[in-house]
Amino acid sequence: MEKAINRQRILLDHLRPSSSSDHAHDSHLSASACSAGDSAAYQRNSVFGDDVVIVAAYRTALCKSKRGNFKDTFADDLLAPVLKAVIEKTNLNPSEIGDIVVGTVLAPGSQRASECRMASFYAGIPETVPVRTVNRQCSSGLQAVADVAAAIKAGFYDIGIGAGLESMTVNPMAWDGDVNPKVKIFEQAQNCLLPMGVTSENVAHRFSVTRKEQDEAAVDSHRKAAAATAAGKFRDEIIPVATKKPIVVSVDDGIRPNTTVADLGRLKAVFKKDGTTTAGNSSQVSDGAGAVLLMRRSVAMQKGLPILGVFRSFAAVGVDPAIMGVGPAAAIPAAVKLAGLELEDIDLFEINEAFASQFVYCRKKLGLDPEKINVNGGAMAIGHPLGATGARCVATLLHEMKRRGRDSRFGVISMCIGTGMGAAAVFERGDCVDGLCNAKKIDSQNLLSKDAK
């Protein structure tokens, strides 16, 4: 009983905004309190101003590699516009930025690090602001955001940018150099070298995901992305980019509004004879970039900046490399638990559609409502520039949550990761936090009774 009472006391204190000087616990338990969904374990930081918040999140359009609108655009010319946008649209003094972390995957590490530093200068960021890159394969953009959030939380700095960048035109997926012969005696190491499409076939075969289910998921992705584009839903998140052509690119160019299951059914499997993974039910190989501006809440409030979202938790997990696509099914529950929530508390999900097989499996495995997932389409329609996808998903999720208002409080971003991993993060809609405007009421006496049991 004492443990239950203490848990309720801490919960109520978390739900009450307080200054850094107010750490005293109130011994009084009120009759009712706000809770995130029905999860009494939801942890709101008692030092309210120390929340890590997102004040801006933007991306470029995503374009088909080698034949899309960015095929002649340098990678640094993709990153610079989104870095510039998060600064100019918030009227931030760029010298206040503590660090810029850029997720990127395919380019040679030292070259891409130099390109990112160059892009920061193009964006008007002074030489005093450092830049680094991070590579966790397909979750690199999300890892960059998580790294910045962690650094702010640790007190290393108060303002940072988590970004993502990939030009799959310039840097196609390929293995450079020899493979260590030792790999032959370690099955899991061998599986790290499997083509991603083969892992998709493994998921489909092992978990009985049919070709029809995969093609239906792909058609649904294109349908939703086309509808979102037509309705102008991406306008708030996409920063136009001028190219050499010269044209200004502001629309994703891989969306096929008229795609049908019958059309996709005529495509041949790419990775396995009599397989089910095709070019039509896989993510598109793309070029693009994104940037997310994070701050300590107290700093954002001092600057009078609107809060787009709150960073709540992040989790990265390992899974069998042979079925790497199952990663979100393991990472999402971990991140949600870290946030003190239940899956039922999540209003929207952005789950990267690396392949329809793994996307359908994860959705079914977690028992998620399809109406909550990728409501504006996903990577099969919009594209998957590996290092940029995480940042793109943050922009898409938070802008959609803002549009939905009270109907959308918590959102999750997740993706599978090559070599067998998954990553996920939980975000809270920014404008609902202070007033807890759509939080559910819980009866403290009933809560205490349940905990006592």
Side-chain angles (χ1 to χ4, degrees):
M1 176 62 75
E2 182 179 350
K3 181 179 178 181
I5 292 173
N6 186 58
R7 178 185 179 200
Q8 176 70 349
R9 182 182 294 119
I10 293 173
L11 170 67
L12 295 177
D13 191 55
H14 284 165
L15 293 170
R16 183 184 66 250
S18 61
S19 67
S20 58
S21 61
D22 180 14
H23 295 287
H25 291 298
D26 188 349
S27 61
H28 175 69
L29 296 178
S30 63
S32 64
C34 290
S35 169
D38 292 320
S39 174
Y42 175 60
Q43 297 178 5
R44 179 176 304 288
N45 195 317
S46 59
V47 185
F48 193 60
D50 280 349
D51 280 342
V52 177
V53 302
I54 296 94
V55 299
Y58 298 107
R59 67 175 178 97
T60 66
L62 303 191
C63 297
K64 294 175 285 188
S65 73
K66 299 189 181 300
R67 55 197 176 95
N69 285 322
F70 288 147
K71 66 183 178 63
D72 298 315
T73 303
F74 288 108
D76 38 335
D77 281 335
L78 292 175
L79 180 60
V82 290
L83 293 178
K84 187 174 183 179
V86 296
I87 294 167
E88 291 188 342
K89 289 180 178 292
T90 57
N91 199 30
L92 176 71
N93 179 348
S95 65
E96 296 182 79
I97 299 169
D99 200 3
I100 300 172
V101 183
V102 185
T104 187
V105 179
L106 298 175
S110 59
Q111 177 177 321
R112 182 48 47 83
S114 296
E115 289 172 323
C116 291
R117 177 72 162 155
M118 290 153 55
S120 74
F121 293 139
Y122 304 156
I125 296 169
E127 64 184 26
T128 54
V129 177
V131 179
R132 71 174 172 90
T133 59
V134 61
N135 185 347
R136 198 195 285 272
Q137 308 277 14
C138 299
S139 72
S140 297
L142 182 60
Q143 185 68 57
V145 172
D147 283 3
V148 171
I152 293 173
K153 196 69 177 172
F156 297 158
Y157 48 81
D158 289 333
I159 301 172
I161 294 176
L165 169 65
E166 208 72 60
S167 173
M168 299 180 79
T169 294
V170 176
N171 306 111
M173 298 178 69
W175 185 272
D176 185 20
D178 297 329
V179 177
N180 189 337
K182 185 188 294 186
V183 73
K184 296 178 181 178
I185 61 175
F186 292 90
E187 181 181 357
Q188 288 179 310
Q190 290 180 47
N191 290 339
C192 289
L193 300 176
L194 288 175
M196 294 297 96
V198 172
T199 70
S200 171
E201 292 287 7
N202 291 344
V203 170
H205 175 73
R206 189 176 302 188
F207 302 108
S208 302
V209 182
T210 67
R211 170 71 180 267
K212 182 180 179 183
E213 286 179 305
Q214 294 173 60
D215 288 348
E216 287 175 343
V219 169
D220 195 44
S221 184
H222 283 281
R223 176 186 60 79
K224 290 188 289 188
T229 300
K233 289 187 176 181
F234 294 138
R235 285 180 194 153
D236 289 342
E237 67 189 67
I238 292 180
I239 299 302
V241 176
T243 69
K244 290 191 233 180
K245 288 190 178 181
I247 59 171
V248 176
V249 180
S250 59
V251 178
D252 305 309
D253 70 12
I255 302 169
R256 301 188 295 274
N258 299 319
T259 297
T260 67
V261 173
D263 292 335
L264 296 186
R266 289 190 282 270
L267 297 178
K268 292 183 179 180
V270 178
F271 298 96
K272 178 182 177 183
K273 185 180 180 181
D274 299 323
T276 59
T277 298
T278 71
N281 59 33
S282 304
S283 59
Q284 296 190 35
V285 179
S286 311
D287 305 331
V292 181
L293 179 59
L294 299 96
M295 295 183 185
R296 191 177 305 279
R297 175 190 288 276
S298 56
V299 173
M301 293 174 70
Q302 288 167 9
K303 293 180 177 297
L305 292 171
I307 294 170
L308 186 60
V310 184
F311 187 94
R312 288 300 176 203
S313 69
F314 171 79
V317 302
V319 298
D320 181 353
I323 50 171
M324 67 92 200
V326 306
I332 290 173
V336 170
K337 183 178 180 180
L338 281 173
L341 299 170
E342 305 291 341
L343 282 176
E344 293 75 18
D345 296 321
I346 307 303
D347 301 297
L348 285 177
F349 294 85
E350 283 289 330
I351 301 178
N352 187 47
E353 299 167 350
F355 298 95
S357 61
Q358 58 84 210
F359 171 73
V360 171
Y361 165 77
C362 293
R363 183 183 68 194
K364 291 164 65 175
K365 174 67 175 178
L366 297 178
L368 304 180
D369 181 354
E371 296 300 314
K372 293 183 176 182
I373 310 172
N374 297 1
V375 296
N376 294 318
M380 287 185 283
I382 298 172
H384 179 26
L386 308 183
T389 288
R392 193 283 295 177
C393 287
V394 173
T396 300
L397 175 74
L398 293 182
H399 283 282
E400 180 62 26
M401 292 175 72
K402 179 181 178 181
R403 276 191 295 273
R404 296 190 174 210
R406 291 172 64 94
D407 294 329
S408 182
R409 182 173 179 184
F410 295 106
V412 162
I413 290 168
S414 186
M415 61 279 294
C416 58
I417 302 170
T419 71
M421 291 178 280
V426 177
F427 297 83
E428 184 173 7
R429 195 184 82 247
D431 60 1
C432 81
V433 178
D434 294 340
L436 295 170
C437 61
N438 69 338
K440 297 179 182 179
K441 295 285 186 177
I442 59 171
D443 187 315
S444 60
Q445 295 303 317
N446 288 341
L447 178 66
L448 291 174
S449 297
K450 290 178 182 179
D451 281 350
K453 293 176 183 179

